[in-house]
Amino acid sequence: MPYISLLNYWKNHDIEGVTNMVDDQVAAYYINEIGEPVALSKSHLIDMLHKRMKQVESNKNLQWNFEVIHRAHIYDKQTVIFYTYSQESSDYHETNKTMIAITFSARKANDPSPIKSIYITPNVKDFHN
């Protein structure tokens, strides 16, 4: 389950560990404020995450939280969808989260499953009545 390694690296601000998990030819997209996907290179993706890690690490009131929403196997690949947020609220439904969908390639002997695609959607709130 490569997503567990990814979340451990992320929570511990290990940008090198995360970087090693991302395929050099990753298909990465950031969904902007008007809902359009913006393509990211691996270096831009890692740079964005590294900057955010530094912000969380430097503020004692922030910490990484992850909530796995869904896991699935598609052919020989694994897809994981999760929320991440760094500031908790007493009203969980009002907490701004980032939703991330990641696809890992098939695992090979002695080779961790690299991240083949990632979609990042910020400012997500739970839908509730």
Side-chain angles (χ1 to χ4, degrees), residues 1-9 21 71 104:
M1 291 186 277
Y3 76 94
I4 293 173
S5 295
L6 172 67
L7 298 182
N8 278 330
Y9 290 139
M21 290 192 74
R71 292 184 305 141
F104 296 90

Side-chain angles (χ1 to χ4, degrees), residues 110-127:
N110 299 324
D111 185 27
S113 304
I115 295 169
K116 299 301 275 183
S117 68
I118 182 168
Y119 293 82
I120 304 164
T121 307
N123 299 314
V124 173
K125 288 188 181 180
D126 288 334
F127 178 77

Side-chain angles (χ1 to χ4, degrees), residues 66-108:
F66 302 100
E67 179 184 344
V68 176
I69 302 167
H70 189 74
R71 292 184 305 141
H73 286 279
I74 303 170
Y75 300 107
D76 58 349
K77 296 167 182 57
Q78 182 180 36
T79 295
V80 179
I81 301 170
F82 63 93
Y83 288 136
T84 184
Y85 51 97
S86 56
Q87 189 166 6
E88 293 189 41
S89 168
S90 58
D91 185 357
Y92 175 79
H93 294 292
E94 294 301 316
T95 300
N96 280 328
K97 303 168 198 68
T98 298
M99 185 172 64
I100 299 181
I102 294 180
T103 301
F104 296 90
S105 70
R107 185 179 182 129
K108 298 176 182 143

